[in-house]
Amino acid sequence: MMKTVILAGGLGTRLSELTANKPKPMAEIGGRPILWHIMNSYASYGYTEFVIALGYKAEMIKEYFLNFFAINNDLTVDLSNGETMIHDGRQPNWRIHLIDTGLNTQTGGRIKRLKKWIGNETFLMTYGDGVSDVNIQKLVEFHREHGKLATVTAVHPPARFGGLVLDGNRVVEFSEKNQSKEGWINGGFFVLEPEIFDTIEDDATLWERGPLDLLAARRELIAYHHEGFWQPMDTLREHRLLESLWESGKAPWQVKSAEVASV
């Protein structure tokens, strides 16, 4: 089963109220880091080996997963001798590689630094700050059918404003912002062949600039069109939106399968 790379090293400056003391992927939705939500989505399709590219406050993400098993199970602590017993519960069967890719490394550089962890294999890649209900299995099948070096998930951007539903001059309904139906943008959720490493020069390379431009020019980049839910978490308002969706019990990205981590 192919590995999933998640870029989780950025500073998250536009979410400074949430990220002053923690990396952006550790900002919580429903009491769980958004990073966990992303991983849970992939795991629901059977992709359970992750390579996490760390940077800003890398130690916090390492500590989260180092303590994950103990924190998410019942414990018995014997204070007389310091012995601790962890009572095994239902936990995700994930294998996670936590790789420090540098504090100031750009997105392309982070991917390049993971080359030895990926090897000569097809791999999945996404960003650690957005959720979607994209069908990962269909995305992989699409990539294999087209035989290109890179597949990007194309999504409609979130609309800037809420909408009014009118009956003449009467407002029938006010709708919250959702995804626009005009235009397509890079939504992450890539499938990549190992040859893409050759398109990345060094730590200063932005994946979204030179490498993707080069792949497009070579006709080696294809888009998987996703009409469903996609939402980044770049602002406090977007964080509140994701939080409210989760609290409603109707979060589009929420995994229902009993085979993945419990909520």
Side-chain angles (χ1 to χ4, degrees):
M1 188 64 70
M2 66 182 70
K3 300 179 181 71
T4 299
V5 167
I6 303 179
L7 303 184
L11 297 177
T13 53
R14 284 181 290 180
L15 270 175
S16 57
E17 291 88 344
L18 294 176
T19 59
N21 298 309
K22 67 174 67 171
K24 187 178 180 182
M26 292 302 292
E28 293 185 351
I29 301 169
R32 296 274 194 171
I34 191 171
L35 179 60
W36 175 90
H37 288 269
I38 297 165
M39 295 169 74
N40 216 24
S41 295
Y42 277 96
S44 69
Y45 291 96
Y47 297 97
T48 57
E49 185 168 2
F50 301 93
V51 184
I52 314 297
L54 306 177
Y56 175 66
K57 295 191 179 295
E59 68 281 359
M60 293 192 68
I61 298 178
K62 289 180 179 180
E63 288 171 0
Y64 175 76
F65 287 110
L66 279 171
N67 296 321
F68 188 95
F69 189 76
I71 289 173
N72 289 279
N73 281 306
D74 294 332
L75 300 174
T76 297
V77 181
D78 190 331
L79 296 182
S80 66
N81 56 24
E83 290 184 358
T84 302
M85 177 182 295
I86 300 175
H87 303 281
D88 190 10
R90 184 171 66 88
Q91 295 302 326
N93 184 27
W94 301 350
R95 182 175 174 82
I96 306 168
H97 310 280
L98 300 163
I99 315 303
D100 194 334
T101 55
L103 181 61
N104 299 309
T105 308
Q106 298 293 342
T107 49
R110 294 191 192 282
I111 296 169
K112 184 85 166 183
R113 287 199 185 198
L114 300 177
K115 182 177 180 179
K116 69 177 182 179
W117 295 91
I118 301 301
N120 192 33
E121 300 175 356
T122 307
F123 64 102
L124 301 161
M125 192 277 282
T126 196
Y127 305 103
D129 61 356
V131 288
S132 175
D133 62 356
V134 61
N135 186 310
I136 302 298
Q137 197 56 50
K138 289 184 178 180
L139 170 64
V140 171
E141 291 170 1
F142 178 89
H143 175 79
R144 288 172 173 162
E145 287 170 3
H146 289 81
K148 301 298 184 180
L149 295 185
T151 297
V152 59
T153 298
V155 300
H156 294 296
R160 290 184 61 203
F161 305 102
L164 293 177
V165 179
L166 302 177
D167 180 7
N169 293 328
R170 186 174 67 88
V171 177
V172 177
E173 180 183 353
F174 178 82
S175 60
E176 276 286 349
K177 298 178 190 177
N178 49 31
Q179 282 172 258
S180 166
K181 294 303 179 185
E182 297 181 7
W184 297 92
I185 62 171
N186 166 15
F189 297 92
F190 293 87
V191 188
L192 303 171
E193 297 299 328
E195 288 85 351
I196 64 94
F197 289 115
D198 296 332
T199 69
I200 303 170
E201 292 186 13
D202 52 31
D203 282 359
T205 302
L206 279 167
W207 168 246
E208 300 77 15
R209 300 285 176 84
L212 286 185
D213 288 338
L214 183 59
L215 289 165
R218 293 177 179 175
R219 297 190 175 185
E220 288 292 346
L221 176 63
I222 195 163
Y224 176 79
H225 292 78
H226 177 59
E227 295 279 2
F229 178 85
W230 175 85
Q231 179 63 57
M233 189 184 65
D234 289 327
T235 66
L236 284 174
R237 187 199 177 282
E238 290 172 340
H239 175 263
R240 289 193 293 268
L241 170 63
L242 293 174
E243 185 74 29
S244 66
L245 285 171
W246 187 263
E247 289 177 356
S248 74
K250 298 178 181 179
W253 73 91
Q254 187 170 5
V255 173
K256 304 298 184 182
S257 172
E259 299 302 318
V260 297
S262 58
V263 180

